[in-house]
Amino acid sequence: MFPDGCIDVHQHLWPAAFIEALRARSVPPMLRGWTLHTGGEPPFEVSAQDHDPERRAARESGRAAVLVSLSTPLGIEALPPDEAAPLLEAWHSGAGTLPRPFRSWASVSEQGPDLDGLTDLLKND
């Protein structure tokens, strides 16, 4: 753990909107209950407690900031843009609702990233 006032720049915390977007999918990456299905890995049991924002915020009290990001092994950024877009939107909108000390890293599709849209999103943060 880090001393109070420090900034942790790499954690993963899925906001509710993102969890629901993963659960709405019928192909990987998708979430069934708390079982994550990805394209190239066996199903993985995700800990619901690890993605409880209030519980995590309490654990991180005293930090100046905790930056959360998508995990590359999920494969979201590598999806075709039309598949990635709803997940990325859910990530960004949900991450914006996380309590302090959480802040989020932005993510874009690897294929034809919408940099203008990302710029607009970051201006509003």
Side-chain angles (χ1 to χ4, degrees):
M1 295 309 280
F2 297 95
D4 284 353
C6 284
I7 297 172
D8 184 344
V9 298
H10 185 190
Q11 287 192 26
H12 303 289
L13 170 59
W14 299 345
F18 182 70
I19 291 168
E20 293 310 311
L22 283 174
R23 287 186 173 146
R25 291 180 53 84
S26 60
V27 295
M30 64 184 185
L31 196 58
R32 293 295 174 263
W34 285 100
T35 303
L36 177 66
H37 299 265
T38 62
E41 299 289 330
F44 175 77
E45 290 300 316
V46 176
S47 169
Q49 292 180 352
D50 288 346
H51 298 285
D52 178 333
E54 299 304 323
R55 180 182 176 98
R56 292 275 298 273
R59 187 179 83 187
E60 300 298 339
S61 69
R63 306 290 172 257
V66 175
L67 305 178
V68 294
S69 66
L70 285 178
S71 178
T72 301
L74 289 173
I76 292 167
E77 295 98 331
L79 291 171
D82 61 323
E83 285 189 54
L87 292 167
L88 292 171
E89 169 60 28
W91 164 252
H92 290 116
S93 66
T97 68
L98 292 173
R100 296 286 183 215
F102 298 109
R103 302 291 304 240
S104 63
W105 289 105
S107 294
V108 296
S109 175
E110 292 173 0
Q111 304 171 35
D114 178 7
L115 300 181
D116 291 333
L118 184 62
T119 298
D120 290 342
L121 177 73
L122 293 174
K123 285 180 186 174
N124 294 324
D125 186 24

